[in-house]
């Protein structure tokens, strides 16, 4: 089996061939032979990407763990060894609680958790957690939020704003595309900025993971990392519903999604097909003030990507190219893209593509997770223990200048 470095070198070589093929001098026509070579190279790069992704997932877990330990050490004034020991002890406490509740924890673990809960509550300025609930430590919450990135698209490109509490916040908005400086005379005072600011209110909707039933056998198997198992289930459930709302939420009783808030930048001629010309018009519907920042990208679902990989520009050349160096993203028309399965596919009146600077969409996370362990008859009679997690979040597009625009399909 090839190592990750060998796979990266192989991918780099293929990407270089594809780039050189597409970037032939403009005077040279794109031929059927060129297209055949491009298709063969594109098919070869897919399996390599799958193998690299498996390697990188393992490496990322290691890097994330090390970063988390360093963050704990910096935040609490501990050495790396002390932070490592504390994280291990916290993990052991969580696993004991998950397996058997408070009664399953040792006296030392109970004292440790009681001290930790008080410390976190004091820092957050919140009261005592309700009886029967666990105020999950922030290290667990950080792992949860990190894991949630894998189950949706918006968290990978939006601005994440963690807050200690869920109080209502008024966030400023302004149109940066019309702002500019001016010349002032020597020793003359600079005039005040007359930019007009608006405001958008952000709250914190309470999200539930719904109940997660765990069989007794799983809680009793010491070989199972129960914390990691439940973490993954929580992340999957919370991330999917949140990503749906951050993408296409109505803004009534739920966050307003970026596709809901953004204006239409280009109306497509078809209800089922997207062309290069329409994608190009969408790009140019976003003001250069945003595009020149280097942070603009596309967002669409995987089926749309499949179709766009077959799309050609006006010279007949494919608009999709793989990243060249290791870690470089693949691109459409020279721009990065994010796969988000909550985005609609091409259909009548649908909005299958968005383009712009998605960092203007802000996701607010309350840095507190409430998790309950349930052992009532509903679960006991089935040989199960129940868990449910609650997390509070909101999302808003904090921009009025058109940082993100959508492409909308024809009505029929």
């Amino acid at each position: 089996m090839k190592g990750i470095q060998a796979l990266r070198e192989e991918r780099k070589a293929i990407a270089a061939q594809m780039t050189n093929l597409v970037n032939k001098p403009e005077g040279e026509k794109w031929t059927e032979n060129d297209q055949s070579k491009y298709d063969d190279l594109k098919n070869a790069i897919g399996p390599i990407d799958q193998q690299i992704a498996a390697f990188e997932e393992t490496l990322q877990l290691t890097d994330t763990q090390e970063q988390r330990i360093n963050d704990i050490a910096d935040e609490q004034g501990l050495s790396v060894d002390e932070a490592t020991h504390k994280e291990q002890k916290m993990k052991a406490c969580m696993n004991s609680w998950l397996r058997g509740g408070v009664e399953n924890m040792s006296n030392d673990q109970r004292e440790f958790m009681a001290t930790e809960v008080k410390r976190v509550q004091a820092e957050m300025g919140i009261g005592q957690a309700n009886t029967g609930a666990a105020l999950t430590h922030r290290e667990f919450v950080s792992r949860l939020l990190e894991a949630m990135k894998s189950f949706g698209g918006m968290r990978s490109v939006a601005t994440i704003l963690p807050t200690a509490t869920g109080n209502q916040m008024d966030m400023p908005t302004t149109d940066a595309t019309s702002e500019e400086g001016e010349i002032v005379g020597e020793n003359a005072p600079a005039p005040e900025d007359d930019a007009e600011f608006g405001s958008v209110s952000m709250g914190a909707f309470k999200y539930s993971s719904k109940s997660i039933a765990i069989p007794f056998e799983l809680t009793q198997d010491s070989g199972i990392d129960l914390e990691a198992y439940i973490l993954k289930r929580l992340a999957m459930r919370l991330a999917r519903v949140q990503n749906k709302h951050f993408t296409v939420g109505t803004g009534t009783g739920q966050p307003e999604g970026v596709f809901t808030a953004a204006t239409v930048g280009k109306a497509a001629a078809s209800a089922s097909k997207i062309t290069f010309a329409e994608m190009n018009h969408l790009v140019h519907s976003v003001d250069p003030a945003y595009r020149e920042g280097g942070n603009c990208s596309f967002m669409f679902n995987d089926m749309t990507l499949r179709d766009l990989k077959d799309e050609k520009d006006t010279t007949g050349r494919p608009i999709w190219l793989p990243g060249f160096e290791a870690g470089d993203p693949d691109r459409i028309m020279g721009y990065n893209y994010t796969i988000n399965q909550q985005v609609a596919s091409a259909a009548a009146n649908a909005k299958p593509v968005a383009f712009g600077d998605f960092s203007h969409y802000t996701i607010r996370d309350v840095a507190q997770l409430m998790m309950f362990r349930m052992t009532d008859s509903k679960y006991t009679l089935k040989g199960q223990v129940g868990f449910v997690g609650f997390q509070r979040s909101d999302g808003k597009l904090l921009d009025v200048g058109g940082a993100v625009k959508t492409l909308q399909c024809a009505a029929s």
Side-chain angles (χ1 to χ4, degrees), residues 135-390:
L135 177 65
T136 309
H137 59 93
R138 280 178 296 177
E139 286 69 42
F140 183 89
V141 177
S142 67
R143 284 199 295 273
L144 174 72
L145 296 176
E146 187 67 32
M148 286 169 69
K149 289 183 180 179
S150 303
F151 295 97
M154 285 302 298
R155 284 188 175 273
S156 64
V157 291
T159 296
I160 308 299
L161 177 65
T163 62
T165 66
N167 296 338
Q168 205 77 8
M169 298 172 59
D170 289 329
M171 304 294 292
T173 62
T174 185
D175 183 356
T177 62
S178 61
E179 295 179 12
E180 63 180 17
E182 64 180 356
I183 297 174
V184 294
E186 188 174 349
N187 298 322
E192 294 183 4
D193 184 1
D194 58 357
E196 294 185 5
F197 286 89
S199 67
V200 172
S201 181
M202 290 191 74
F205 295 98
K206 183 168 70 173
Y207 283 91
S208 165
S209 66
K210 298 184 178 179
S211 61
I212 299 173
I214 305 295
F216 287 157
E217 293 80 3
L218 199 61
T219 66
Q220 295 164 358
D221 189 344
S222 60
I224 298 293
D225 187 342
L226 197 57
E227 184 190 28
Y229 178 84
I230 292 179
L231 174 72
K232 184 174 182 179
R233 296 287 294 276
L234 285 172
M236 178 180 66
R237 294 185 179 196
L238 291 169
R240 282 177 176 167
V241 65
Q242 288 184 7
N243 185 63
K244 177 166 64 176
H245 291 161
F246 297 153
T247 306
V248 294
T250 63
T252 302
Q254 60 186 239
E256 184 179 38
V258 66
F259 276 73
T260 306
T263 58
V264 174
K266 176 62 181 176
S270 168
S272 59
K273 181 175 173 56
I274 303 166
T275 67
F276 164 75
E278 290 164 349
M279 293 283 283
N280 189 43
H281 286 184
L282 175 63
V283 167
H284 287 276
S285 72
V286 174
D287 194 280
Y290 295 109
R291 301 204 315 267
E292 291 168 2
N295 203 33
C296 284
S297 62
F298 288 106
M299 181 176 287
F300 36 69
N301 69 29
D302 190 60
M303 294 301 289
T304 300
L305 173 62
R306 180 201 66 181
D307 295 339
L308 289 174
K309 281 186 174 181
D310 295 329
E311 192 63 32
K312 312 291 194 300
D313 65 15
T314 54
T315 67
R317 290 168 167 76
I319 64 174
W320 178 85
L321 278 174
F324 189 65
E325 296 289 345
D328 285 353
D330 300 336
R331 292 174 174 253
I332 291 280
M333 298 168 56
Y335 289 98
N336 298 351
Y337 57 83
T338 299
I339 298 299
N340 184 341
Q341 291 301 88
Q342 293 299 333
V343 179
S345 296
N349 289 319
K351 297 178 181 178
V353 182
F355 176 82
D357 185 350
F358 291 93
S359 69
H360 287 267
Y361 190 90
T362 296
I363 295 174
R364 179 199 184 181
D365 289 322
V366 179
Q368 176 187 3
L369 174 78
M370 297 299 296
M371 187 155 63
F372 291 80
R373 187 179 190 276
M374 300 170 290
T375 56
D376 54 53
S377 60
K378 173 184 175 181
Y379 297 97
T380 302
L381 293 175
K382 296 180 181 180
Q384 300 171 337
V385 177
F387 296 92
V388 63
F390 296 95

